[in-house]
Amino acid sequence: MEKYSQFRDRGTAIAPFFPVPSPPSGLLFLPVHIFLFALRVPPLLCVSIFYFLILRWLPVGSLFKKAALWCMIGIPGIWWIDLQIDRVKRGSLAKQNAHRLPAPGTIIASSFTSPLDCLYLAAIFDPVFTASYPNSRKVQRISLFRAMQLALLPPTMHPPPSARLTTLSALLAANPDACIVVLPECTTTNGRAILPFSQSLLTAPPTTKIFPLNLRYTPGDITTPIPGTYLSWIWKLNSKPTHCIRVRIAECVYNNASLTSPLPSTTSTTLKPPQPKTTYETNFFDTMNIGGYLSSSETLVGSDETASSVNGAGEDGLSSDERRVLDRVAEDLARLGRVKRVGLGVRDKIEFVKIWSKRKR
């Protein structure tokens, strides 16, 4: 395993791209797994084909579409979902706490570990899905099927040439009756770490709520950190008796300097990076992170792209306020998932997949 040591985070020794092994069940239960797989796959395929090819294009209410999505969740045995919200006691999700939940006109910054992430979010919130890229502040609007497919595809550093990119502000204005799902890590992990973020969240309006949301699975082998594992993922999903989803939602964050409250409507719509200072105006103390809100990894876009300045724009073009926004959301996701932030990014996963594929061949 020494060849993979470079894909462990230097500070925490966490390997976010390794597949999670399935818990051993023995040959005695193999017939049970085969029976469950054969029993579940045909109805799951029928419901999936009916939804993605027919139902989603019909002018029917969201109730019918959500019913089909819940069938796709329930057929593989996902019968228990543990939902918990920051500062809300269990069993007290009343109207007075409705403002702590994502709603139309808000943004969900979700962890990304499995195709089930987007399937669950679609069944609950009926949102607009987006794809983020490490080198772009803009996002690409995608369908639910494409969002689930991205969890099983190799990661990319850049959007495809035919992609139509936009900002979160423009998406919110064009879809006022829906919330927006952002996957800021840009690629999937095994659920044991939070990767450096894309800068796409910085195009959100300063008065829009951003809800960090973390999803974890038990057992954890249905995560898809390795691309192309379609058949093995379908087997793991449908051959187990049951699965559990643990959903945690943090308090909302705003894309402004205060983080916890919206700015007046007279302010600009997004945080803009300041102009870089000249060498005459810059000294040694400008490069020190004094009182910043940095993670242990001190990265946002990749292990080779670190920030260097608080008062001015860093090497990644982020101002101190922008960095605090991304750090706050990332820290919330790490806290909700009881994991740590790492410095490995999309570029590292691309190299990991190359080596892993050679070993498999």
Side-chain angles (χ1 to χ4, degrees), residues 31-48:
V32 177
H33 296 317
I34 295 176
F35 172 75
L36 290 175
F37 182 81
L39 182 67
R40 290 170 172 172
V41 168
L44 180 60
L45 287 178
C46 291
V47 175
S48 301

Side-chain angles (χ1 to χ4, degrees), residues 176-257:
D177 298 328
C179 56
I180 310 297
V181 169
V182 179
L183 306 170
E185 294 176 280
C186 304
T187 186
T188 54
T189 67
N190 55 16
R192 296 177 176 176
I194 298 298
L195 302 184
F197 273 13
S198 163
Q199 300 177 12
S200 57
L201 287 174
L202 299 177
T203 63
T207 57
T208 298
K209 295 179 179 180
I210 302 174
F211 288 93
L213 187 149
N214 183 276
L215 299 100
R216 294 186 66 181
Y217 301 93
T218 305
D221 59 344
I222 55 175
T223 57
T224 56
I226 302 296
T229 55
Y230 295 91
L231 295 179
S232 62
W233 180 72
I234 293 176
W235 164 259
K236 294 175 183 178
L237 178 64
N238 291 276
S239 62
K240 300 290 195 315
T242 184
H243 303 273
C244 175
I245 304 180
R246 177 179 174 271
V247 184
R248 298 292 182 266
I249 304 177
E251 288 190 281
C252 65
V253 179
Y254 293 91
N255 181 28
N256 58 53

Side-chain angles (χ1 to χ4, degrees), residues 135-310:
N135 297 322
S136 176
R137 293 198 175 200
K138 294 186 176 182
V139 297
Q140 178 188 4
R141 179 174 180 174
I142 57 177
S143 64
L144 169 61
F145 181 79
R146 180 60 179 175
M148 297 176 63
Q149 191 181 31
L150 287 179
L152 294 164
L153 290 177
T156 58
M157 290 293 297
H158 305 282
S162 60
R164 299 179 60 183
L165 301 183
T166 184
T167 63
L168 294 179
S169 298
L171 270 182
L172 287 167
N175 303 272
D177 298 328
C179 56
I180 310 297
V181 169
V182 179
L183 306 170
E185 294 176 280
C186 304
T187 186
T188 54
T189 67
N190 55 16
R192 296 177 176 176
I194 298 298
L195 302 184
F197 273 13
S198 163
Q199 300 177 12
S200 57
L201 287 174
L202 299 177
T203 63
T207 57
T208 298
K209 295 179 179 180
I210 302 174
F211 288 93
L213 187 149
N214 183 276
L215 299 100
R216 294 186 66 181
Y217 301 93
T218 305
D221 59 344
I222 55 175
T223 57
T224 56
I226 302 296
T229 55
Y230 295 91
L231 295 179
S232 62
W233 180 72
I234 293 176
W235 164 259
K236 294 175 183 178
L237 178 64
N238 291 276
S239 62
K240 300 290 195 315
T242 184
H243 303 273
C244 175
I245 304 180
R246 177 179 174 271
V247 184
R248 298 292 182 266
I249 304 177
E251 288 190 281
C252 65
V253 179
Y254 293 91
N255 181 28
N256 58 53
S258 69
L259 296 179
T260 57
S261 63
L263 290 178
S265 58
T266 56
T267 59
S268 60
T269 57
T270 56
L271 287 172
K272 297 181 179 179
Q275 297 296 326
K277 297 181 179 181
T278 64
T279 55
Y280 178 79
E281 296 173 322
T282 309
N283 55 36
F284 171 77
F285 296 100
D286 287 327
T287 63
M288 296 178 61
N289 273 317
I290 302 175
Y293 190 91
L294 294 182
S295 67
S296 58
S297 63
E298 296 185 351
T299 61
L300 285 170
V301 180
S303 58
D304 57 345
E305 300 179 12
T306 56
S308 63
S309 174
V310 167

